[in-house]
Amino acid sequence: MPSLYKAITLVKRPNDRKIGPHLFETKELEIPTPKDGQILIKQTHMSLDPAMLGWMSDDRESYIPPVELGDVMRSSGVGEVVESKNPDFSVGDKVMGMTGWSEYVLSDGSGFNKLQKGVTEEMALCVFALPGLTATTGLFNFGEPQKGETLVVTGAAGSVGSIVGQLAKADGLRVIGVVGSDDKADWIVNELGFDGAINYKTDNLQEKLIELTPDKIDVFFENTGGPIQQHIFNRMNTHGRIVVCGMIADYQSENPAPGPNWIPLIKKRINIRGFAMPDHWGEIPQLLQKLTPYVQQGKIKYRAHTIEGLDNAEKGLNMLFDGKNTGKMIVKL
């Protein structure tokens, strides 16, 4: 084992909402030795998520405290226990939890769960980590999908949206996905089984939406915001449900798009619910119990977009906001 490891700390806030190397500092630190009750984890795969931009900002009213300047950048990941003085973990165990942008993590084991047999690191981060938990929470807790209804999900080729659509399709809903390229449209329709796709960059949004939702829309799972939001909102059925998970189109915008007029909320008695996963950490066992059968039955497919090396984490994060990723963004260390 080497004596030093790399960790990347946050040293500046993205006040212009842009992510660049000036925000971070790479440090070389001495690999620690576990004390009683602790484990040392060598991280092998690290997740990159749009929420990281919010974690970098100095928003003290957000759902989770910001990363403090000088601290290791926050992220989840998978690693292998290489030293253990904790009776609940053995050397060689593969574990998943909040790891940060770091090659090694010293922990007392809190918040880390062992990977089940047969679950690869890639599957863990693509399905059983934040993407699958978020999709399951938003869809079933707040979307209340019913067989025969129509669901539209934005960011449909993304890590959360793709799982939302597949879960809904497995439960007998008509599922339409909004994506940003023909390749992504082809993937969600021909590989994942969606009933239709809208390319928000090239399609006539209103016409395509009307064509693909003949019975209008019962559930709208919002991951992105952007120009199609208004069209989806206006096509909601009475007693429809809107689940607001993310607004990636507006995170870096100097002038975020205004929201829809609220009059239809009254006329159609639409329920809108925003949510964030930290409110639901205590429900993870139940969420996994709900999600796992879909995976075991082969109803959930995924694809990862893996980049190599901790030093490329910032570049990978920018790919998310540029829409250049073709799956769940993962850094392989």
Side-chain angles (χ1 to χ4, degrees), residues 56-134:
M56 295 177 201
S57 69
D58 198 25
D59 183 358
R60 303 287 166 173
E61 296 183 353
S62 187
Y63 62 89
I64 189 172
V67 178
E68 298 296 343
L69 296 182
D71 285 355
V72 173
M73 182 57 204
R74 180 185 295 142
S75 65
S76 61
V78 173
E80 181 178 340
V81 176
V82 292
E83 290 187 39
S84 177
K85 291 188 177 180
N86 183 317
D88 295 329
F89 296 89
S90 301
V91 171
D93 284 345
K94 293 181 179 180
V95 295
M96 178 170 62
M98 296 305 292
T99 50
W101 290 19
S102 180
E103 293 176 332
Y104 284 84
V105 182
L106 185 66
S107 171
D108 63 2
S110 299
F112 280 92
N113 297 297
K114 298 177 187 179
L115 267 59
Q116 296 180 358
K117 186 177 181 180
V119 176
T120 65
E121 294 88 346
E122 188 177 271
M123 177 184 287
L125 291 180
C126 289
V127 179
F128 292 111
L130 200 57
L133 295 173
T134 302

Side-chain angles (χ1 to χ4, degrees), residues 177-214:
V178 181
V179 295
S181 73
D182 290 340
D183 172 71
K184 292 177 179 179
D186 179 75
W187 183 60
I188 66 170
V189 171
N190 295 316
E191 292 292 328
L192 303 188
F194 283 42
D195 295 287
I198 299 172
N199 184 337
Y200 72 86
K201 293 182 178 179
T202 59
D203 286 332
N204 182 307
L205 302 182
Q206 185 172 1
E207 289 183 3
K208 191 74 171 180
L209 192 63
I210 291 172
E211 173 193 336
L212 292 175
T213 60

Side-chain angles (χ1 to χ4, degrees), residues 295-328:
V295 180
Q296 292 174 332
Q297 294 163 21
K299 296 179 179 178
I300 303 297
K301 298 179 182 179
Y302 64 89
R303 62 180 181 182
H305 188 131
T306 303
I307 58 176
E308 299 276 346
L310 182 63
D311 293 337
N312 287 317
E314 173 261 323
K315 293 179 181 177
L317 192 54
N318 267 313
M319 291 179 68
L320 278 176
F321 288 97
D322 292 337
K324 294 180 179 178
N325 60 304
T326 56
K328 175 76 187 78

Side-chain angles (χ1 to χ4, degrees), residues 139-152:
L139 181 62
F140 295 115
N141 287 16
F142 309 124
E144 302 175 358
Q146 301 296 319
K147 184 177 180 179
E149 291 187 329
T150 297
L151 174 142
V152 173

Side-chain angles (χ1 to χ4, degrees), residues 3 78 104-105 178 241 252-253 272-273 276 287 299 304 308:
S3 60
V78 173
Y104 284 84
V105 182
V178 181
R241 288 83 67 198
Q252 293 182 302
S253 173
I272 300 180
R273 173 63 187 259
L287 293 170
K299 296 179 179 178
E308 299 276 346

Side-chain angles (χ1 to χ4, degrees), residues 2 20 22 41-42 46 57-58 69 77 99 114 116 135 146 167 176 182 206 224 246 248 255 260 330:
H22 64 289
I41 303 163
K42 184 181 187 300
M46 188 177 83
S57 69
D58 198 25
L69 296 182
T99 50
K114 298 177 187 179
Q116 296 180 358
Q146 301 296 319
L167 291 172
I176 307 301
D182 290 340
Q206 185 172 1
T224 65
I248 194 171
N255 298 296
I330 295 175

Side-chain angles (χ1 to χ4, degrees), residues 252-316:
Q252 293 182 302
S253 173
E254 293 183 7
N255 298 296
N261 185 284
W262 282 10
I263 292 176
L265 293 181
I266 303 169
K267 293 167 65 175
K268 296 183 179 181
R269 287 85 77 199
I270 295 171
N271 181 44
I272 300 180
R273 173 63 187 259
F275 79 102
M277 273 310 298
D279 292 341
H280 304 278
W281 290 148
E283 303 167 25
I284 287 178
Q286 293 85 358
L287 293 170
L288 290 174
Q289 189 175 26
K290 178 74 174 179
L291 174 62
T292 299
Y294 290 89
V295 180
Q296 292 174 332
Q297 294 163 21
K299 296 179 179 178
I300 303 297
K301 298 179 182 179
Y302 64 89
R303 62 180 181 182
H305 188 131
T306 303
I307 58 176
E308 299 276 346
L310 182 63
D311 293 337
N312 287 317
E314 173 261 323
K315 293 179 181 177

